[in-house]
Amino acid sequence: MLISTDASVKAQHDAVRNFVGFYDFTHKLLEVTGEDAAAFLDYIFVADIANLAAGKARYTTMLDEKGLIIDDVIVFHLADGLYWVSTLFVEELIRWLDAHKKGYAVKYKNITDDWKMYSIQGPKAKELVNVVVESPVDDLKFFSIVDNSMGDAPVKVARSGYTGEKVGYEIYIAADNVELLESKLASEAEKIGGIQVTEVDVMAYTLATEAGFILMTDVLECNPFEVGFEKTVNFDKDFIGKSALELICEVPPSRTLLGFTVEDDEARIYGGWKGHLVLKGSEKVGRVTKYTRGFTAGKNIGYALVETAKAKVGDTVTISGVPAVLTDRNFI
Amino acid sequence: MPDTERLIPNNTSDVAQIDEDSGLHLFRGMITPWDKIKSFKETYEFVVRHAAMFAVTWTNANKVIEPDYEKRQSAMSDQWAEEMDFMWSEDDPMGAKGMFLDRFAIPPFIKEGSYLAAIYADKGDEQTLLAGHIWQASNDRFEKEIHWCPFDIVGPEACDVSQGGGSHFCIGLSGQPLNTFNPERKGCGDRYCHVVQETRDKYDEHPNADGYEWEHWGPPVSGMRKEGAEPIKTECEHLTTGTYYSPTGTKWTTGELYRDFTMWPMAYSTTVIGGLRRTGKFDDPATMEIVKVMFDTAGKMQFAEWNTRKSIREWLGVPESVEDGRVLGGYISMIFQARSLEWRFAEFSEERVVIDTDRVTFEMFGQYPELTPAYIAYFDAMAKVLVNTEWIVRLDEENAPEGMARFVIEKGLYGFRRQKPGYTFDDGSEVCDAD
């Protein structure tokens, strides 16, 4: 069955875009502490972490020595010497940190089981969060995180999300208290036309793809320049993969992660590591990494990693026998 | 760390390392006693097909032992379903769930659903060299298409076991009742093989849900389409690229997939054995006799034709002068290498070949001792055609080193000759029974 015809997926997607949707979006969480925590994370990730103010967060990637992306994370600076790293690959991250710890005075531990995170996204997200937590979040800036509470339960509220919504929050609560949060969200969301999102397709694909957000499977064995992340890289500091990346960025990237649209709503296309071939004429120019329904955009959309010399935005290509148009990665 | 700048172009399966001392490329695979090297890719294809051949023979034996299809299929499928229920239960008794959630980087927010089945099944298929792709992996629906299956010769009975067992994996992980379909089992000759799983919460119970769980096939409640312009895949991409990435972006090298396959290579043989045990068939000595006869046939058929015999000798690099048990010993050593068994030649001469292998691993963590007599029958039969009928293969329990299975290839009498009671041979013996 095509996602485009799935009424449940559409309803949940539309709820987020038009009202508010909330859902358990717990990722894996690594706590990093120590006097060298900032410097260590600055070395591990490509973005500027050392100068990240307390209460702020930053999206960044982690590269291997060849300059290839091996993880994308959000780093939260909670307090002096205290950081959280939100990732989906915490075990691999720990192994990587172990291998590159050198002499840094830093400790880290997997705290995934200790915390749950609910994402609240959509035009009425602020309204919903404000009735759930004690202190209003009206002034909370994008990619900021603050302490708050829900009754007696302490929470952390971050202004962030994976939907492309201008208004979106992520509430972190101790795992033991998550049912309180879920029931409160459920009862209050209903009053303002919000719903609980349960479809993985909505949480991870339809909303995020419309907004240009990537999954790791979109950027496997890519460097930041191939996927439009050049501005996230801070070359004014040392980081793992820097020397390789400096060589790489001397020439334009040979591949680019673009979007594509398909007019045929019934087109069957698959993505992933071995996704559908993208053809221009009869020539292979790339592969599909992701394909889903852009319910707000009103058409089926996806991403493709294409050879820069052979394909560009605006080109008409063929995927799975149907015409597609290469686009930028933001569809809304 | 391998110097990737010096990788061999189009090298298959991440074998390209450079020896620091010699500067030569290093390869993995099998090697024959006459120094013929087989590539890693060929080794992988060899071991998977060997497992399939073995499964065919067990499956066919099963058809004789239990001619009733429903009883036969139920025994296998129910047994495997039970094992999956146990393995993937809430208590996680074998740690399988925990390992799965970690190794596949399953996000905590995906607690249940067909998405999990898709992720697990895709990796399992790739490690078994089933080439295909996932069409959909959502909460409530999973659809996978397979183009190439080395186990297609086993037939739909294996597929039915697999789907029934697979759905119990999902139930264990997700707790959701499912409609599970294998709408076309490729053993029936259809080129595209689709597996579809739908949760009943969303799609309701299928109209065909009555009946055996393992016989759910055609069409899913949500419908299915087969048209697409992509070409048929004839092999898994990781055999060329050296890497497999799961739908969550976790990575396996093709070497790791190989290792995972050889940890439990004889699936679909073991499902048959499990079914036979479940119905107490092994209490009847005739059961094992039927198995041995089947494997005797299989072994003889494998190399009886002169061309086949000639080509396997060429494949092994056997010198023309070698026309003895070493030919079979060489072939058996390839099987043992491909299965990643600990093994060695205790003797390798014109008169005798003795091969030892770790018995526990050989019998799948010691859980399937029934495999050994099947292998003996198989190898013994091969000896007759690969060498000649003067040769036998036997298991030497008495002289085997501790923990090892010792296979002896030597000259010996073969066959059962019964004479009229009271008749004596010249040597005074009555009945010659070399079986």
Side-chain angles (χ1 to χ4, degrees):
Chain A
M1 180 178 182
L2 297 169
I3 294 299
S4 57
T5 60
D6 192 320
S8 168
V9 173
K10 183 178 189 312
Q12 293 183 17
H13 176 107
D14 287 347
V16 171
R17 286 282 186 246
N18 299 322
F19 301 100
V20 60
F22 70 94
Y23 46 99
D24 180 353
F25 204 44
T26 305
H27 282 46
K28 298 185 182 177
L29 211 52
L30 186 77
E31 181 181 272
V32 183
T33 57
E35 65 178 89
D36 290 344
F40 180 53
L41 294 175
D42 210 45
Y43 174 62
I44 293 293
F45 299 111
V46 302
D48 183 3
I49 304 299
N51 294 318
L52 186 64
K56 300 299 283 184
R58 187 152 285 149
Y59 173 77
T60 182
T61 50
M62 184 168 83
L63 311 183
D64 65 12
E65 289 88 350
K66 290 181 276 185
L68 302 180
I69 298 170
I70 54 176
D71 199 359
D72 70 321
V73 307
I74 296 180
V75 178
F76 294 94
H77 186 183
L78 297 180
D80 194 29
L82 173 62
Y83 292 80
W84 277 1
V85 181
S86 174
T87 175
L88 292 179
F89 303 99
V90 74
E91 301 296 336
E92 288 84 349
L93 178 58
I94 289 172
R95 280 193 285 273
W96 187 254
L97 298 185
D98 286 344
H100 295 88
K101 199 170 159 186
K102 298 198 268 191
Y104 287 100
V106 63
K107 290 183 183 170
Y108 36 87
K109 64 176 180 176
N110 182 358
I111 58 169
T112 302
D113 290 340
D114 301 338
W115 292 88
K116 291 288 189 184
M117 183 265 274
Y118 265 73
S119 189
I120 302 99
Q121 303 284 318
K124 296 198 173 187
K126 183 163 61 179
E127 190 179 328
L128 178 56
V129 171
N130 277 344
V131 297
V132 168
V133 299
E134 289 297 317
S135 306
V137 295
D138 297 49
D139 296 330
L140 191 60
K141 296 279 186 287
F142 194 62
F143 265 153
S144 297
I145 185 166
V146 293
D147 286 328
N148 209 314
S149 60
M150 193 186 81
D152 294 330
V155 300
K156 295 187 189 298
V157 181
R159 179 136 176 230
S160 53
Y162 189 60
T163 60
E165 284 297 303
K166 289 192 176 64
V167 185
Y169 301 88
E170 292 174 337
I171 299 178
Y172 289 84
I173 190 166
D176 291 343
N177 294 329
V178 70
E179 283 175 14
L180 294 172
L181 176 61
E182 183 171 334
S183 61
K184 182 78 170 164
L185 282 169
S187 58
E188 295 299 332
E190 196 181 11
K191 298 173 187 172
I192 55 173
I195 63 170
Q196 182 168 15
V197 175
T198 56
E199 297 280 0
V200 167
D201 283 295
V202 175
M203 294 180 208
Y205 289 95
T206 63
L207 293 167
T209 306
E210 277 187 336
F213 296 155
I214 57 116
L215 287 167
M216 264 309 291
T217 43
D218 294 316
V219 300
L220 293 170
E221 299 188 3
C222 290
N223 66 61
F225 291 86
E226 292 174 317
V227 301
F229 285 175
E230 50 275 8
K231 290 184 183 167
T232 68
V233 181
N234 180 6
F235 279 105
D236 293 333
K237 60 159 188 169
D238 191 22
F239 57 85
I240 299 170
K242 180 180 179 182
S243 51
L245 209 57
E246 282 173 334
L247 291 174
I248 287 168
C249 70
E250 284 179 0
V251 295
S254 60
R255 301 180 301 176
T256 315
L257 186 68
L258 296 180
F260 68 86
T261 59
V262 176
E263 292 300 323
D264 182 352
D265 284 352
E266 296 191 354
R268 294 241 292 173
I269 295 171
Y270 59 88
W273 172 237
K274 43 192 166 123
H276 249 121
L277 292 176
V278 177
L279 303 175
K280 195 171 170 190
S282 57
E283 189 182 15
K284 172 194 160 190
V285 299
R287 293 198 91 143
V288 173
T289 64
K290 184 160 62 183
Y291 178 66
T292 188
R293 178 71 180 176
F295 288 102
T296 309
K299 51 182 72 172
N300 289 351
I301 59 175
Y303 298 166
L305 191 63
V306 302
E307 293 178 50
T308 315
K310 295 182 178 174
K312 61 184 186 307
V313 171
D315 283 351
T316 298
V317 294
T318 307
I319 305 175
S320 185
V322 298
V325 176
L326 295 177
T327 65
D328 289 320
R329 288 203 318 264
N330 197 321
F331 301 90
I332 50 173
Chain B
M1 290 281 279
D3 182 349
T4 56
E5 293 304 311
R6 296 154 72 196
L7 279 176
I8 300 168
N10 299 318
N11 175 64
T12 60
S13 58
D14 72 326
V15 298
Q17 295 187 26
I18 312 292
D19 175 58
E20 285 182 8
D21 296 327
S22 68
L24 295 172
H25 298 291
L26 298 172
F27 291 86
R28 306 179 289 190
M30 304 178 286
I31 184 168
T32 77
W34 300 279
D35 288 336
K36 269 209 160 180
I37 294 173
K38 306 300 169 190
S39 73
F40 175 78
K41 180 168 181 274
E42 186 174 354
T43 303
Y44 204 155
E45 290 166 346
F46 176 79
V47 73
V48 171
R49 198 62 165 178
H50 168 74
M53 285 154 55
F54 224 69
V56 168
T57 315
W58 271 105
T59 299
N60 286 353
N62 201 15
K63 290 174 184 173
V64 177
I65 296 163
E66 179 50 83
D68 186 304
Y69 170 73
E70 283 187 7
K71 286 184 187 170
R72 189 168 73 234
Q73 193 64 51
S74 296
M76 289 192 290
S77 299
D78 292 349
Q79 179 63 28
W80 202 10
E82 241 177 55
E83 289 172 11
M84 292 297 239
D85 284 344
F86 171 73
M87 186 168 164
W88 298 99
S89 61
E90 182 113 24
D91 296 340
D92 197 13
M94 296 166 66
K97 243 183 188 173
M99 251 171 38
F100 165 69
L101 294 174
D102 279 343
R103 184 63 179 91
F104 286 82
I106 305 297
F109 66 86
I110 298 182
K111 296 186 269 295
E112 57 187 37
S114 296
Y115 191 72
L116 299 175
I119 295 168
Y120 190 68
D122 192 55
K123 187 259 182 181
D125 289 344
E126 292 282 323
Q127 85 186 28
T128 315
L129 300 187
L130 272 60
H133 57 261
I134 294 172
W135 274 118
Q136 182 180 5
S138 301
N139 282 38
D140 298 290
R141 192 177 186 280
F142 160 44
E143 182 176 348
K144 178 131 194 230
E145 179 174 302
I146 302 285
H147 292 170
W148 185 260
C149 173
F151 278 78
D152 58 0
I153 52 173
V154 183
E157 293 187 17
C159 300
D160 289 337
V161 170
S162 184
Q163 297 324 307
S167 69
H168 278 259
F169 157 82
C170 288
I171 291 166
L173 269 181
S174 72
Q176 296 170 309
L178 296 167
N179 300 319
T180 302
F181 293 93
N182 191 342
E184 304 95 3
R185 284 99 104 239
K186 194 155 168 284
C188 298
D190 195 311
R191 202 66 185 96
Y192 290 89
C193 182
H194 280 239
V195 175
V196 179
Q197 287 180 342
E198 307 160 322
T199 59
R200 291 183 189 174
D201 288 349
K202 185 158 183 173
Y203 295 100
D204 296 327
E205 193 173 73
H206 193 279
N208 292 344
D210 276 346
Y212 298 111
E213 213 173 70
W214 45 261
E215 65 181 351
H216 290 178
W217 51 283
V221 171
S222 52
M224 195 186 66
R225 281 172 46 192
K226 287 200 299 187
E227 51 275 26
E230 74 276 18
I232 292 276
K233 291 183 186 177
T234 55
E235 67 176 33
C236 293
E237 292 200 6
H238 68 83
L239 286 176
T240 311
T241 64
T243 309
Y244 164 74
Y245 284 97
S246 75
T248 50
T250 48
K251 176 181 170 180
W252 279 259
T253 65
T254 195
E256 287 172 324
L257 293 180
Y258 183 96
R259 176 205 61 200
D260 290 351
F261 178 80
T262 54
M263 279 179 64
W264 199 261
M266 310 309 279
Y268 304 113
S269 293
T270 56
T271 48
V272 172
I273 295 171
L276 290 169
R277 285 180 189 168
R278 188 181 182 86
T279 50
K281 293 290 186 189
F282 285 116
D283 294 340
D284 180 356
T287 295
M288 212 55 218
E289 287 308 305
I290 292 169
V291 171
K292 288 180 191 174
V293 164
M294 279 292 176
F295 275 94
D296 180 87
T297 309
K300 283 173 182 160
M301 293 291 283
Q302 190 159 346
F303 300 122
E305 198 176 284
W306 298 120
N307 284 326
T308 318
R309 184 180 185 276
K310 186 178 167 191
S311 69
I312 204 70
R313 287 179 61 100
E314 195 176 295
W315 185 72
L316 290 166
V318 181
E320 276 191 32
S321 59
V322 175
E323 283 280 2
D324 51 64
R326 288 174 291 178
V327 184
L328 176 60
Y331 183 72
I332 292 175
S333 77
M334 304 298 268
I335 293 174
F336 287 2
Q337 288 175 69
R339 275 193 57 183
S340 294
L341 297 169
E342 181 197 329
W343 74 277
R344 69 181 188 104
F345 282 123
E347 187 176 334
F348 191 76
S349 70
E350 199 174 335
E351 290 79 33
R352 217 163 91 114
V353 174
V354 178
I355 313 175
D356 294 334
T357 186
D358 176 76
R359 189 153 189 172
V360 169
T361 316
F362 186 70
E363 292 177 347
M364 310 272 284
F365 299 97
Q367 293 178 30
Y368 291 91
E370 296 91 342
L371 290 171
T372 299
Y375 264 110
I376 292 288
Y378 186 50
F379 292 155
D380 183 56
M382 274 186 197
K384 277 70 174 153
V385 286
L386 205 48
V387 195
N388 58 58
T389 50
E390 291 182 81
W391 292 82
I392 63 164
V393 175
R394 63 181 176 87
L395 192 71
D396 184 353
E397 305 261 24
E398 195 184 329
N399 298 307
E402 173 97 27
M404 304 297 264
R406 171 162 283 192
F407 297 86
V408 177
I409 308 169
E410 62 189 4
K411 284 192 178 179
L413 289 175
Y414 140 69
F416 170 71
R417 287 180 285 165
R418 180 185 178 276
Q419 294 293 336
K420 222 164 143 178
Y423 180 87
T424 54
F425 289 98
D426 292 341
D427 62 3
S429 62
E430 290 191 345
V431 172
C432 178
D433 178 2
D435 200 337

